């Protein structure tokens, strides 16, 4: 094969698209129920937007970005995530209005140069939301319950929600110091990556999946013990709100997430049906990012769902969704083909999906084509049928046949 899809990218084929459509439809419907409005931003942005917001020592920025120079020598990057572009757009277009909560949602492809494996691609898709303008813990609860409601709508029951608070600019530095003091003693026994993380971004050590590091990570100081009174109060109120809303959750003090902009609440939705890459959704607060990127002080929170991972678990629950056409017209002879073409055109205009065979083949081949098209009905037109003005309509599921005139056919499918 001369050309193939690039490593870490995938074609989504017609046989799979039904599940994607179902997920996208449910996502839009759920986001809109919670009053989110769709925003679409460009696929590439100025590189600096991502390095500043996600953090230059994170894995995403330090090794996973698709960065290139354009013809004028400007550094651009294919978006590895959508929070920073949405913040950029919200500031640029004055969407953030004081004292209002502004709610935006998006669906689209993201790009990260990661080592491809199950659940991890270089081009993948996210559906996500961002809510700007309130630090109220009940907004955190609403955002988490929105994710929960979408998964419920898709019939998923086996999901787990982990929540944590990573504190704020006042209490996080103290926590990082505590972590460094703790890991310093064991660093020699830990993996190479963790030794690097220790220097650049010690919080990231908590995310390490290497077995050698696990026993040290398990006993590491907990974020929960280092929160300042304001962050502790905020987190307690989030937890109370989750209880009140009947949302099942688990506090996971190791949940620090891989992007630097988070403050206070972080959360992930995990599926046991996925392998090592088991997070279907990740999000949290980022109360200082809008201001860091040039806007006014604006607390904010959001999440993004990985659609490939969601498809993986939803496809066991939803039917494949590949839709067949409603009517296939098989025509034998030139005269019949003309009539077939007219009937198909009328059907389509009336909103009935229809097709015909252009190859001028025999009846058997045309019925095979009708089968392949997943047709609900086949209409057969030959010389005899034209003479009598009655065509043969075959129900492809039951194989029942009846003769119909064009008028009857039209009434049957309400073609007019
Ligand atoms: P994230 O945790 O980097 O957060 O990504 C969110 C979700 O995208 C993950 O839980 C996973 O399902 C999916 N995902 C990430 N990388 C890949 C990959 N290489 N292949 C397949 N799926 C992947 C964010 O992107 C934040 N912007 C979320 C957010 C929004 N936080 C606040 N607002």
């Amino acid at each position: 094969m001369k050309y193939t899809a690039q490593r870490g990218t995938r074609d989504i084929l017609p046989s799979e698209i039904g599940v994607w459509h179902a997920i996208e439809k449910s996502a839009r419907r759920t986001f809109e129920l919670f009053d989110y409005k769709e925003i679409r931003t460009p696929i590439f942005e100025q590189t600096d937007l991502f390095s500043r917001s996600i953090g230059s020592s994170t894995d995403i920025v330090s090794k996973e970005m698709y960065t290139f120079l354009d013809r004028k020598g400007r550094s651009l990057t294919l978006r590895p995530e959508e929070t920073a572009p949405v913040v950029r757009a919200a500031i640029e277009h004055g969407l953030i209005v004081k004292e209002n909560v502004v709610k935006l949602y998006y669906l689209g492809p993201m790009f990260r140069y990661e080592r491809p494996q199950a659940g991890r691609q270089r081009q993948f898709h996210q559906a996500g939301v961002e809510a700007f303008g309130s630090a109220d813990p009940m907004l955190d609860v609403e955002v988490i319950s929105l994710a929960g409601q979408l998964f419920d709508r898709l019939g998923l029951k086996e999901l787990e929600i982990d929540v944590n608070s990573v504190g704020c600019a006042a209490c996080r530095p103290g926590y990082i110091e505590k972590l460094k003091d703790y890991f310093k003693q064991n660093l020699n026994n830990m993996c190479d990556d963790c030794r690097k993380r220790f220097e650049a971004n010690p919080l990231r050590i908590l995310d390490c999946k290497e077995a050698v590091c696990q026993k040290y990570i398990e006993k590491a100081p907990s974020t929960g013990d280092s929160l300042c009174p304001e962050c502790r109060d905020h987190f307690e109120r989030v937890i109370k709100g989750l209880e009140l809303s009947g949302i099942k959750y688990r506090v996971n003090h190791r949940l620090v997430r891989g992007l630097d902009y988070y403050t206070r609440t972080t959360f992930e939705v995990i599926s046991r049906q996925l392998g090592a890459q088991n997070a279907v959704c990740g999000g949290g607060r980022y109360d200082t990012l809008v201001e860091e990127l040039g806007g006014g002080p604006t607390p904010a929170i959001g999440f993004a769902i990985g659609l490939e991972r969601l498809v993986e678990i939803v496809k066991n629950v939803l039917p494949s969704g590949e839709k067949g056409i409603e009517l296939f017209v098989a025509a034998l002879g030139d005269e019949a083909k003309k009539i077939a073409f007219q009937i198909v055109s009328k059907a389509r205009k009336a909103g009935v999906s229809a097709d015909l065979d252009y190859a001028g083949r025999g009846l058997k081949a045309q019925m095979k084509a009708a089968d392949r098209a997943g047709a609900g009905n086949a209409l057969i037109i030959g010389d005899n049928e034209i003479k009598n003005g009655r065509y043969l309509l075959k129900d492809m599921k039951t194989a029942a046949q009846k003769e119909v005139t064009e008028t009857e056919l039209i009434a049957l499918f309400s073609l007019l």
Side-chain angles (χ1 to χ4, degrees):
M1 179 92 65
K2 196 167 174 193
Y3 300 111
T4 55
Q6 290 302 292
R7 193 166 137 75
T9 71
R10 273 196 67 223
D11 301 307
I12 300 168
L13 301 174
S15 56
E16 308 163 88
I17 203 72
V19 180
W20 284 83
H21 285 168
I23 289 177
E24 286 161 5
K25 194 167 157 201
S26 290
R28 284 179 199 285
R29 178 77 187 123
T30 316
F31 296 160
E32 281 160 13
L33 281 176
F34 284 71
D35 198 22
Y36 285 77
K37 304 273 187 288
E38 184 173 0
I39 185 165
R40 298 186 190 186
T41 69
I43 298 287
F44 60 83
E45 300 269 352
Q46 208 176 311
T47 300
D48 189 46
L49 172 70
F50 297 116
S51 26
R52 274 197 68 179
S53 47
I54 300 169
S56 49
S57 60
T58 58
D59 282 355
I60 297 179
V61 172
S62 63
K63 48 190 186 194
E64 296 170 2
M65 293 210 301
Y66 279 93
T67 296
F68 57 97
L69 295 181
D70 73 2
R71 288 175 187 277
K72 291 254 167 74
R74 286 171 289 229
S75 179
L76 302 173
T77 293
L78 299 186
R79 60 186 192 192
E81 60 106 50
E82 185 62 346
T83 307
V86 170
V87 171
R88 194 255 322 127
I91 298 171
E92 187 174 333
H93 302 287
L95 302 184
I96 299 171
V97 186
K98 256 201 182 136
E99 276 143 40
N100 276 359
V101 176
V102 178
K103 295 173 164 183
L104 302 171
Y105 81 83
Y106 50 84
L107 288 138
M110 310 291 153
F111 305 85
R112 295 184 193 175
Y113 191 82
E114 295 196 78
R115 189 164 345 121
Q117 53 172 265
R120 194 192 266 165
Q121 290 179 205
R122 292 182 173 169
Q123 176 175 340
F124 60 98
H125 297 77
Q126 287 186 342
V129 301
E130 312 293 347
F132 299 99
S134 173
D136 190 326
M138 284 316 282
L139 180 62
D140 307 36
V141 176
E142 187 193 274
V143 167
I144 295 170
S145 76
L146 164 51
Q149 194 159 317
L150 172 55
F151 294 129
D152 275 352
R153 191 178 270 270
L154 290 167
L156 303 176
K157 294 192 179 69
E158 310 298 315
L159 297 175
E160 293 162 18
I161 303 176
D162 277 12
V163 289
N164 191 24
S165 174
V166 292
C168 64
C171 51
R172 194 160 22 174
Y175 175 62
I176 292 176
E177 275 318 303
K178 268 198 208 164
L179 265 191
K180 284 189 97 165
D181 278 350
Y182 168 79
F183 281 121
K184 202 157 52 190
Q185 306 149 30
N186 304 306
L187 210 55
N188 284 339
N189 304 322
M190 296 177 73
C191 74
D192 285 352
D193 275 346
C194 279
R195 282 202 285 273
K196 281 185 214 143
R197 291 179 185 127
F198 181 82
E199 295 305 331
N201 196 346
L203 273 182
R204 304 250 38 82
I205 296 179
L206 298 179
D207 254 1
C208 180
K209 303 275 185 295
E210 293 295 324
V212 282
C213 302
Q214 280 313 309
K215 60 178 178 207
Y216 303 113
I217 292 169
E218 271 161 26
K219 298 206 178 87
S222 142
T223 47
D225 299 332
S226 299
L227 298 179
C228 62
E230 291 77 14
C231 287
R232 182 173 314 235
D233 177 57
H234 191 273
F235 190 54
E236 279 167 7
R237 292 213 250 158
V238 173
I239 295 298
K240 258 195 211 124
L242 290 175
E243 301 265 350
L244 263 177
S245 315
I247 297 168
K248 285 204 195 97
Y249 66 91
R250 184 174 56 197
V251 172
N252 173 1
H253 284 306
R254 308 268 173 266
L255 181 66
V256 289
R257 310 260 307 122
L259 305 96
D260 280 356
Y261 49 61
Y262 289 112
T263 55
R264 295 191 166 167
T265 312
T266 52
F267 66 97
E268 272 184 5
V269 182
I270 312 282
S271 165
R272 298 238 168 262
Q273 292 173 48
L274 296 170
Q277 305 304 318
N278 60 3
V280 245
C281 169
R285 274 205 164 273
Y286 46 97
D287 288 344
T288 53
L289 183 62
V290 175
E291 206 173 357
E292 276 157 30
L293 295 182
T298 311
I301 178 164
F303 67 72
I305 296 170
L307 293 187
E308 277 75 6
R309 294 184 195 177
L310 188 55
V311 165
E312 211 33 52
I313 42 183
V314 165
K315 73 179 185 201
N316 304 325
V317 181
L318 282 185
S320 92
E322 197 180 358
K323 277 201 201 108
I325 52 166
E326 287 155 276
L327 180 67
F328 189 94
V329 184
L332 300 164
D334 286 345
E335 190 52 30
K337 203 166 167 187
K338 267 187 231 150
I339 298 174
F341 195 84
Q342 281 165 3
I343 292 179
V344 164
S345 305
K346 277 191 196 162
R348 289 172 179 160
K349 275 191 198 135
V352 175
S353 54
D355 212 349
L356 74 162
D357 185 66
Y358 284 98
R361 296 178 291 185
L363 184 61
K364 214 168 157 197
Q366 293 198 46
M367 293 311 276
K368 261 198 191 147
D371 237 2
R372 261 199 307 275
N377 293 277
L379 187 74
I380 300 160
I381 309 179
D383 289 342
N384 271 344
E385 282 78 11
I386 298 174
K387 233 190 272 154
N388 303 337
R390 302 183 72 79
Y391 313 123
L392 202 61
L393 184 67
K394 180 175 177 188
D395 182 318
M396 297 293 283
K397 245 200 211 120
T398 62
Q401 304 192 7
K402 61 177 161 194
E403 284 190 351
V404 289
T405 62
E406 189 173 330
T407 322
E408 285 164 351
L409 179 80
I410 284 165
L412 212 58
F413 284 90
S414 15
L415 297 189
L416 286 180

